[in-house]
Amino acid sequence: MSPHRTGPSLPRARGVLSAGVTGYLRDEGALPDPDAARNADPYGDDLQLALYVCYELHYRGFDGVRPELEWDPPLLAVRAAMEDRFLTALRHDAPVESSLDEVLDGLLVEPVRGTGVSWFLQDRGELRHLRAYAAQRSLYHLKEADPHAWVLPRLSGRAKAGMAAIEYDEFGGGRADRVHAQLFADLMTDLGLDTTYGRYLDEGCAPMLTLVNLMSLFGLHRRLRGALVGHFAAVEITSSPASRRLADAMKRTGAGPAAEFFYTEHVEADAVHEQVVRRDVIGGLLEDEPGLAADITFGITATSFVEDRLGDRLLTDWQA
Amino acid sequence: MPNTPEHPCRITLGDEGPLLVEGPVEVTCADGSVAVSDRFVVALCMCRRSRMYPWCDTSHRRRTKPGEGPRRSAD
């Protein structure tokens, strides 16, 4: 084994699936039976952590895990069983019941008063809540926009150009200090958190793992490119107003300039990205492949469903 | 992208919402203040409700009171 660390540590197991997968990656045991995936809670800690670990092999990998295991056929077979369980549950729980235009219009209406996490943090959030929120969100934001880059080779023309332009902005427009993942690390420093990639995986609650897995699932499978675009649109459209509330929370609590800047940058950037993703990415993709409208809509409904579960979980924890 | 006769700066007007202008841009506001952005596209606020004027912050969006309008993500 390499004397220096080659990635984050494997997380602690949360059940038979995650124990089997992490043991296999350490070359210490057999893979779990795919039947265990078919019977698992599709949104539970065990399946979501095991799936997260499988997907992480495509991002940074884990310390002490052989890189070849990224494309290990037996591991991919177990992953496929978990993905099938997850995706089947999502299609059941986040059904497409309206047209794409109707769903987009719904996202573009802003309530005068809301009840979600960003409203709670704006009105009553204390530094301990903001730290807990940032630690959870770090599972995504330290690889912000990475899962969406996988869709680029599957797009063409206007959709590709629009998506690439947004991703360029997400990745700092050519400047390392402006990469959004770096801006989030700066926020974490302001909040006194450890910015090491993967540091808070063990603390990651099942709904947060589910959200990151949703992006990885949509990003890694070409057949789900419409859902990936829908997911991305949902994130960009809802981001600006929520980021304003979070910026206000950071300011009110004195979290620090970098913590505030991360969210004010997202207010401004995502007001642009929202326009480009609707006009060029969705508009261009539908010109090329009109049959993908339902998949794009599913990406939006699935994202709202998963985000709502995360919000409910955090608010339940904080208001207990 | 440089602003040349062959490649003029592209500006997009929609039914509602901001004016989209290819960046980088320098905007002089009515009070003489200057805002600069090197983003690939900037969204200029047209409704004048933005807290980040001259940049759009989505304040133009239609508002609903509690109990009306479609269900949406709890962000």
Side-chain angles (χ1 to χ4, degrees):
Chain A
M1 191 184 300
S2 166
H4 59 274
R5 286 171 55 86
T6 54
S9 302
L10 279 168
R12 286 190 294 276
R14 302 186 195 181
V16 291
L17 288 169
S18 50
V21 167
T22 52
Y24 185 77
L25 292 177
R26 288 191 188 94
D27 292 324
E28 288 173 357
L31 279 167
D33 190 317
D35 277 342
R38 284 189 269 275
N39 297 318
D41 175 356
Y43 311 118
D45 277 289
D46 188 34
L47 184 144
Q48 290 297 330
L49 181 64
L51 192 52
Y52 189 100
V53 168
C54 289
Y55 285 148
E56 190 55 41
L57 300 176
H58 300 289
Y59 294 97
R60 308 275 185 99
F62 291 99
D63 188 34
V65 172
R66 289 183 291 118
E68 301 79 31
L69 289 171
E70 180 184 357
W71 298 106
D72 180 70
L75 183 63
L76 291 174
V78 172
R79 193 188 88 180
M82 294 191 288
E83 288 176 320
D84 183 56
R85 179 85 175 123
F86 181 33
L87 189 56
T88 301
L90 282 175
R91 290 203 186 275
H92 176 268
D93 294 326
V96 175
E97 294 170 331
S98 311
S99 73
L100 175 57
D101 284 344
E102 287 168 337
V103 171
L104 285 171
D105 284 348
L107 290 182
L108 287 164
V109 172
E110 191 59 23
V112 174
R113 288 294 314 162
T115 54
V117 173
S118 64
W119 291 93
F120 174 91
L121 292 173
Q122 173 190 261
D123 295 340
R124 291 192 278 150
E126 301 168 19
L127 276 172
R128 67 188 173 97
H129 299 126
L130 296 171
R131 283 193 195 102
Y133 182 76
Q136 291 293 327
R137 288 275 177 187
S138 71
L139 271 58
Y140 168 60
H141 282 304
L142 289 180
K143 55 181 168 223
E144 185 168 339
D146 285 351
H148 312 108
W150 281 317
V151 84
L152 285 169
R154 297 149 191 179
L155 303 176
S156 62
R158 204 150 61 91
K160 186 198 278 285
M163 190 73 196
I166 297 171
E167 287 283 86
Y168 179 68
D169 211 27
E170 298 280 352
F171 296 138
R175 288 166 54 182
D177 61 334
R178 296 294 297 264
V179 175
H180 282 185
Q182 179 59 49
L183 298 182
F184 193 80
D186 297 341
L187 168 148
M188 292 177 78
T189 300
D190 267 1
L191 289 171
L193 296 168
D194 186 340
T195 64
T196 307
Y197 185 91
R199 162 65 182 77
Y200 294 103
L201 178 52
D202 277 327
E203 283 84 349
C205 62
M208 187 64 221
L209 298 174
T210 305
L211 179 60
V212 181
N213 286 338
L214 180 88
M215 307 177 199
S216 302
L217 172 69
F218 291 168
L220 283 166
H221 292 275
R222 183 173 58 83
R223 74 179 198 279
L224 296 172
R225 63 196 176 282
L228 188 283
V229 165
H231 158 76
F232 192 61
V235 170
E236 297 291 356
I237 291 170
T238 54
S239 170
S240 280
S243 294
R244 165 48 63 198
R245 293 187 281 276
L246 292 165
D248 288 350
M250 296 296 174
K251 186 183 181 91
R252 181 174 52 73
T253 56
E260 201 180 327
F261 179 73
F262 176 81
Y263 286 110
T264 55
E265 160 64 11
H266 279 77
V267 175
E268 185 185 319
D270 294 343
V272 174
H273 297 175
E274 173 236 307
Q275 298 284 338
V276 177
V277 78
R278 283 193 291 129
R279 289 163 191 271
D280 292 330
V281 183
I282 290 180
L285 181 58
L286 286 178
E287 274 177 12
D288 292 341
E289 302 188 83
L292 289 184
D295 279 2
I296 297 171
T297 312
F298 169 62
I300 297 173
T301 59
T303 301
S304 297
F305 172 74
V306 171
E307 281 280 4
D308 284 352
R309 291 183 80 259
L310 174 61
D312 290 346
R313 167 63 182 268
L314 294 175
L315 289 175
T316 301
D317 286 353
W318 295 339
Q319 295 173 332
Chain B
M1 191 174 289
N3 198 358
T4 66
E6 295 76 23
H7 297 285
C9 173
R10 184 175 295 169
I11 296 176
T12 307
L13 276 163
D15 289 337
E16 57 180 21
L19 188 71
L20 303 179
V21 182
E22 283 184 329
V25 298
E26 181 187 283
V27 181
T28 303
C29 299
D31 63 359
S33 63
V34 174
V36 174
S37 175
D38 60 1
R39 208 177 296 285
F40 68 102
V41 169
V42 300
L44 288 176
C45 172
M46 294 286 108
C47 73
R48 301 217 168 214
R49 288 201 287 261
S50 175
R51 285 174 60 188
M52 303 188 116
Y53 195 83
W55 317 124
C56 170
D57 72 351
T58 71
S59 290
H60 58 274
R61 287 187 186 172
R62 196 159 59 81
R63 296 281 180 151
T64 53
K65 296 194 175 71
E68 68 177 46
R71 168 118 173 93
R72 43 158 301 152
S73 179
D75 41 12

